[in-house]
Amino acid sequence: MADDDRDDAQNPFKGTPMEQIFGAFSSGQIDMNQIMGQMQKMFAPHEGSVNFDLAKDVARQTLAAAGPDPSPTSHQQNAVDDAARLAELWLDTATSFPAGATTATAWSKAEWIEATAATWQQLVEPIAQHVVTAMSEALPDEAKAMAGPLMGMLSQAGGAMFGQQVGQALGGLAGEVVSSTDIGLPLGRERVAAVIPSGVAAFGEGLEHPASDVLLYVVLRECAHHRLFQHSPWLRSALVGAIEEYGRGTRIDVAAIESQMRGLDPSRPEDIQEALAGGLFEPERTPEQQRALDRLETLLAFIEGWVDEVVAQATAGRMPAATPLAEAMRRRRATGGPAEQTFAALVGLELRPRKLREATSLWAAIRDRQGAEARDAVWSHPDLMPDASDLDDPLGFAQGEKRSQSDDDFDAALGELLDGTAPESPESPDSPDDKGPTG
């Protein structure tokens, strides 16, 4: 008992999340040089709420621990070049959008991390800012008063720990993705269609289709994404805006974090990594966040649905393997693909494109009714876009049975986008598409 009292007196962090770490220092269980190196990284100056230099280091280490990551060969690069040229020719026949990519390239997994890091930082920063702020604001007033000038250091440490979690997630994601737009977000450089040959090969395993067909299908989707994002400059900001709104609603359960950290053994780094990967700082989802998440999932469904529809049209009569490959891609996303797992582990933000089939049907219905140009023209302005309720009735949207504005206004706006002329008023009895007002 006396020894326990003496230990308690010597450990000023008794009862706090730092208790175990202090104990490990005193017992000599940790390499001090390693700890000091980690501390230097943790408190190194960095811009924003996330120490993204640390995040990239952790991502590279996580990737290296997973196995070899050879650079693409010249043969693989040539195969990507050939697939991109053919993909663009086929897409020209399926969409009015011109080619969005001017370069096609093959990346290693490590190159994917480097090329997408800046976009990930932009996406994660709004959420991390609110997570770190929420953690500080959740401290009792007495604790804030005691911390005083250390509050800045605590925020910096929080950014470093969040960066560690981001890095682990990106390192794992790098081993699963097949292209720069694999999760429906424009992660890579503009106008660069990039695929990861090792990821494409992993996707094709067990599908019983030639490797050339699998590569061509992935490149078709990559090039279609680039066409859409280049034609619709508002789309990127809409996606980021939804993520920022999600971040603004962040609420942190500090008691739960403390409970988890007290149970960690600092002499076992793998325990800390598992806690971070399992969502140590995962916030509670608020109603505001759920609304932002719903909007984000709906927009992703429209993006992926349009890509599915356009690629299906581009490959019709040309590529028999396209239909089963499309179904394999849908299963991959529906079962919780890389995007959902990564964001869910980071901050509880899932990026699953729900109702993807309905979105694909909606774009196909517009094409059947008005043509491919009308389908594509909807992307010209966010006000022309369908909403979540339209996914429950794709055919109704395509037929003009339900609009936030009148059929007349919508068709006039769409006609002006297509050829500068408004179509005949739907109130005219001569109009075959007249469905009447919807009350």
Side-chain angles (χ1 to χ4, degrees):
M1 178 66 71
D3 290 342
D4 291 341
D5 292 342
R6 184 165 55 254
D7 289 342
D8 291 348
Q10 293 174 349
N11 189 346
F13 298 103
K14 182 70 175 179
T16 73
M18 298 293 289
E19 176 183 358
Q20 295 292 333
I21 295 178
F22 183 88
F25 274 123
S26 61
S27 63
Q29 296 175 351
I30 295 181
D31 184 339
M32 289 299 295
N33 290 330
Q34 181 182 3
I35 289 296
M36 291 305 296
Q38 292 176 348
M39 293 293 286
Q40 287 178 350
K41 289 183 178 180
M42 179 176 291
F43 292 105
H46 60 84
E47 295 183 3
S49 300
V50 181
N51 187 336
F52 222 82
D53 288 336
L54 175 62
K56 288 201 293 185
D57 287 344
V58 172
R60 286 189 288 260
Q61 293 167 9
T62 302
L63 180 60
D69 176 33
S71 298
T73 65
S74 58
H75 174 74
Q76 289 173 320
Q77 179 61 60
N78 291 337
V80 171
D81 288 337
D82 291 341
R85 282 192 289 268
L86 182 58
E88 297 291 15
L89 286 174
W90 287 5
L91 288 170
D92 282 341
T93 67
T95 175
S96 60
F97 295 164
T102 56
T103 303
T105 187
W107 283 344
S108 67
K109 300 170 186 177
E111 287 173 322
W112 178 89
I113 291 175
E114 290 298 324
T116 63
T119 303
W120 281 114
Q121 184 172 11
Q122 180 187 9
L123 294 173
V124 172
E125 176 61 30
I127 300 174
Q129 177 183 356
H130 292 285
V131 168
V132 174
T133 300
M135 289 174 62
S136 300
E137 292 179 348
L139 291 175
D141 292 337
E142 315 86 75
K144 292 180 182 179
M146 292 178 63
L150 295 179
M151 286 296 293
M153 294 181 63
L154 291 175
S155 296
Q156 204 166 9
M161 297 181 75
F162 198 91
Q164 170 99 356
Q165 189 178 6
V166 171
Q168 288 176 349
L170 293 185
L173 181 59
E176 300 175 353
V177 294
V178 298
S179 70
S180 73
T181 60
D182 190 16
I183 64 175
L185 299 173
L187 297 175
R189 304 181 184 97
E190 287 191 23
R191 295 189 175 277
V192 177
V195 298
I196 297 85
S198 59
V200 175
F203 168 62
E205 288 179 1
L207 296 181
E208 300 181 353
H209 296 293
S212 58
D213 280 357
V214 177
L215 175 61
L216 176 57
Y217 185 78
V218 170
V219 172
L220 277 161
R221 292 184 55 82
E222 173 77 358
C223 292
H225 275 101
H226 278 276
R227 289 186 182 224
L228 179 59
F229 282 109
Q230 282 297 319
H231 176 81
S232 310
W234 60 268
L235 194 50
R236 178 188 292 265
S237 60
L239 291 166
V240 174
I243 295 175
E244 287 177 342
E245 183 178 340
Y246 183 93
R248 284 194 294 271
T250 299
R251 302 291 183 273
I252 298 297
D253 187 347
V254 177
I257 294 176
E258 290 182 349
S259 176
Q260 283 187 270
M261 292 186 70
R262 287 195 185 102
L264 297 180
D265 182 354
S267 66
R268 292 174 51 80
E270 60 271 21
D271 289 351
I272 299 176
Q273 291 178 356
E274 289 177 4
L276 289 169
L280 177 60
F281 298 113
E282 185 173 326
E284 298 177 336
R285 187 173 296 166
T286 64
E288 295 83 2
Q289 286 182 310
Q290 187 60 54
R291 286 192 292 271
L293 180 59
D294 291 343
R295 193 170 78 252
L296 187 62
E297 287 176 343
T298 299
L299 189 53
L300 285 172
F302 288 138
I303 292 170
E304 295 301 285
W306 182 89
V307 169
D308 280 3
E309 145 71 7
V310 167
V311 171
Q313 291 298 303
T315 55
R318 295 183 173 119
M319 186 179 177
T323 299
L325 285 172
E327 188 58 36
M329 186 67 76
R330 290 192 191 101
R331 288 197 303 270
R332 178 174 178 263
R333 292 194 297 263
T335 54
E340 180 182 5
Q341 294 171 6
T342 299
F343 273 79
L346 285 175
V347 287
L349 178 60
E350 299 175 354
L351 289 180
R352 180 183 294 181
R354 303 184 192 277
K355 295 193 174 182
L356 175 57
R357 291 183 187 275
E358 291 86 342
T360 304
S361 297
L362 183 146
W363 297 121
I366 296 176
R367 171 180 50 78
D368 288 340
R369 178 176 181 259
Q370 301 185 49
E373 288 189 0
R375 176 202 61 197
D376 297 344
V378 176
W379 291 95
S380 297
H381 195 280
D383 289 347
L384 296 175
M385 290 289 292
D387 57 32
S389 65
D390 294 311
L391 290 176
D392 296 326
D393 185 17
L395 189 58
F397 178 85
Q399 293 177 339
E401 294 177 351
K402 176 182 177 297
R403 306 264 196 240
S404 59
Q405 53 186 324
S406 72
D407 292 350
D408 190 14
D409 291 344
F410 179 87
D411 289 337
L414 189 56
E416 290 173 359
L417 284 169
L418 291 173
D419 55 18
T421 61
E424 189 178 37
S425 170
E427 295 181 0
S428 168
D430 296 330
S431 174
D433 294 326
D434 181 19
K435 299 296 181 179
T438 59

